[in-house]
Amino acid sequence: MSTGTPASGHGRPAPPTSHEASGTTVLSADDVARALTRIAHEVVERNKGVDDVVLLGIPTRGLPLARRLAQRLEQVEHVPADELVGSLDVTMHRDDLAHQPTRTIGETYVPGDGIDGKVVVLVDDVLYSGRTIRAALDAISDLGRPRAVQLAVLVDRGHRELPIRADYVGKNLPTATAERVRVLLAETDGEDRVLIEGGAR
């Protein structure tokens, strides 16, 4: 859910490069780094370690965020990052396929011994309507039966359409529906920054 809009950026043409980004910056690169470090420590505290934790990043930007969280968890818990993180493509489980342009099917993979009996932490960039996460929950059911599913997002912008709540939030960001939350990450956009575009602010 890379734009934070109802029609998110999964499988769609790449957004403008970072030097074309405009809008109000609400998170700087340092803010993003601090938010991820805090989330990593919260994951450890809540789950009493990471022995049974699997991070599943939702492409596009949820995946690099999951990898960064795994690196932080490796530093704290000394578990190799690649044993913690996987990717969960939700394209075929979305409820808006008939209303959107053709989407590219992304990669789904899980680390280690799968997700049965594990605590799966879904990782995405923006939580908005909740429909991407509903699709992710359906996709998880195709992979196995986790003991629990938690949700970590960099930004929660509100305007939920489904009863879905994040367990770990980098920043709660009240927004107007006319506004667009845009997450830029170094891996996909050349820089780390979160912007609000459009609307009166």
Side-chain angles (χ1 to χ4, degrees), residues 91-160:
T91 302
M92 298 310 297
H93 293 274
R94 296 187 64 95
D95 60 7
D96 59 357
L97 285 176
H99 307 289
Q100 298 297 328
T102 302
R103 296 174 181 268
T104 302
I105 305 298
E107 184 179 11
T108 291
Y109 64 90
V110 296
D113 301 323
I115 65 170
D116 287 342
K118 303 284 189 177
V119 175
V120 170
V121 181
L122 292 171
V123 183
D124 206 1
D125 56 349
V126 178
L127 178 57
Y128 184 30
S129 68
R131 294 187 178 276
T132 294
I133 304 306
R134 183 209 60 78
L137 294 172
D138 286 347
I140 285 175
S141 68
D142 291 342
L143 300 177
R145 185 181 177 87
R147 175 162 55 86
V149 179
Q150 300 169 2
L151 174 60
V153 297
L154 183 60
V155 174
D156 185 344
R157 64 165 296 186
H159 304 287
R160 211 78 74 245

Side-chain angles (χ1 to χ4, degrees), residues 58-93:
I58 300 174
T60 300
R61 288 166 181 80
L63 183 52
L65 289 173
R67 288 173 176 154
R68 292 194 204 181
L69 284 173
Q71 290 167 357
R72 285 162 167 79
L73 292 172
E74 181 179 49
Q75 295 170 358
V76 175
E77 293 292 298
H78 309 293
V79 176
D82 58 1
E83 294 182 8
L84 293 171
V85 66
S87 177
L88 182 68
D89 181 73
V90 304
T91 302
M92 298 310 297
H93 293 274

